[in-house]
Amino acid sequence: MSDEHRLEEKFLSQEAERRISEKLDEAEKIEIDVETDLLKIVQGQADGVSVAGQGLVIQEGIRIQEIKLQTDSIAINPFSALFGQIELNEPVNAIARIILTEVDINRTLTSDFVRSRMQNFDLDVDGEIVSFEPEEIQVFLPGDGKIECRGKVLLKEMGNTRPLVYTAIALPRTHSQPAMLESFNCTEGGGISIELITAFIQKAKELMNIPYFKWEDMAFSIKDIKVEKGSLILVVETQVKQIPSSITELSL
């Protein structure tokens, strides 16, 4: 690659880093590499964009230990690119590898950003609607590929509302086995019926079989989950309609 081409990439990359850094509360490291040259910029093309970040603190204190994102070749707005801003003319596919620590996950679960988005959900149990209202949840990553959740919900059934405290251990889906619930224990609240457990498992199965999720200008699917002691590693495929100006959108 010629020095001229590298200078063009360096300019775009540094300007993109500056714009995203302005949106972060904190970043131990952020690197962006725009793979292009002046001729491709004028033609509205780039070979791809890669993002690597560590210790990123984004909206309302949410922290990501590490993210690596790589796009396919992209069609860009040449005028905005000349000023260091990447605007897409067409949707682009990307793959991201995200690492979250146990501490980061639990801090995120107690953030205003997440709590404001936690919704009640209803289950049809033999024709009767039973409602769950999440109140508390804490995640532990003990290793051996397991995720342990301890939480409290308000259970509304047959006109009554009661608290339910539980502990659950699950194994996420892998290439060789489906998602599995290893154990579920009610520690307070009198327990739940077999019919309710059956309806809950069916609902969880439906959610896990959704091919992709949508958020803002992105459609994404989780392709792999790896659980290590103290950390969760996600491999996510996305289709991005627009490269966001905020790292919050890049990482979700």
Side-chain angles (χ1 to χ4, degrees):
M1 178 183 295
S2 69
D3 292 340
E4 290 82 359
H5 288 180
R6 190 57 201 165
L7 286 172
E8 292 149 10
E9 288 188 353
K10 186 176 181 180
F11 165 73
L12 277 176
S13 300
Q14 289 180 341
E15 183 62 16
E17 287 175 15
R18 183 188 67 80
R19 289 175 179 270
I20 287 182
S21 295
E22 290 176 351
K23 302 292 184 178
L24 296 170
D25 294 335
E26 183 181 334
E28 295 175 9
K29 180 181 178 182
I30 179 72
E31 292 181 354
I32 297 175
D33 186 14
V34 182
E35 303 161 18
T36 190
D37 57 47
L38 183 58
L39 178 59
K40 289 179 180 178
I41 292 174
V42 173
Q43 294 174 338
Q45 299 174 357
D47 293 329
V49 176
S50 62
V51 179
Q54 292 181 352
L56 307 182
V57 180
I58 55 177
Q59 185 171 349
E60 300 186 31
I62 297 173
R63 186 180 185 277
I64 297 171
Q65 175 63 27
E66 182 179 320
I67 179 173
K68 292 182 179 179
L69 181 145
Q70 176 68 52
T71 74
D72 292 341
S73 59
I74 59 178
I76 58 176
N77 183 324
F79 299 103
S80 62
L82 289 171
F83 292 96
Q85 184 172 351
I86 308 300
E87 293 182 359
L88 301 180
N89 287 337
E90 298 177 2
V92 63
N93 296 319
I95 187 165
R97 182 177 184 270
I98 302 168
I99 299 178
L100 301 170
T101 68
E102 181 180 291
V103 173
D104 295 338
I105 293 170
N106 286 310
R107 184 166 69 172
T108 296
L109 290 172
T110 59
S111 69
D112 292 337
F113 178 79
V114 170
R115 294 183 72 86
S116 65
R117 287 161 175 78
M118 291 179 67
Q119 299 179 351
N120 300 353
F121 65 93
D122 298 331
L123 296 177
D124 186 337
V125 182
D126 294 338
E128 178 189 344
I129 301 301
V130 178
S131 176
F132 286 85
E133 181 180 333
E135 286 204 324
E136 301 172 10
I137 184 170
Q138 192 171 12
V139 171
F140 299 89
L141 305 173
D144 296 327
K146 299 179 181 181
I147 301 175
E148 180 179 348
C149 296
R150 302 176 190 173
K152 178 181 179 181
V153 299
L154 290 180
L155 182 62
K156 302 177 181 180
E157 59 179 337
M158 301 179 65
N160 298 315
T161 300
R162 60 186 173 96
L164 183 71
V165 180
Y166 67 89
T167 298
I169 298 178
L171 289 83
R173 172 175 51 86
T174 67
H175 295 299
S176 59
Q177 71 175 30
M180 299 179 67
L181 182 64
E182 183 176 277
S183 65
F184 183 90
N185 297 306
C186 297
T187 56
E188 294 179 30
I192 56 179
S193 66
I194 293 177
E195 291 78 10
L196 182 52
I197 292 176
T198 302
F200 183 84
I201 292 175
Q202 180 61 36
K203 182 67 173 181
K205 183 178 179 180
E206 292 174 5
L207 292 173
M208 287 187 291
N209 287 333
I210 294 176
Y212 63 88
F213 301 91
K214 289 185 177 181
W215 192 83
E216 298 287 342
D217 286 331
M218 302 178 70
F220 63 92
S221 60
I222 298 175
K223 292 302 180 182
D224 191 29
I225 301 176
K226 185 177 181 181
V227 184
E228 297 182 348
K229 184 176 176 59
S231 64
L232 186 68
I233 303 171
L234 305 174
V235 176
V236 180
E237 287 187 356
T238 69
Q239 185 182 71
V240 185
K241 292 183 179 179
Q242 196 54 253
I243 296 290
S245 60
S246 166
I247 196 71
T248 303
E249 295 176 53
L250 281 172
S251 61
L252 292 177

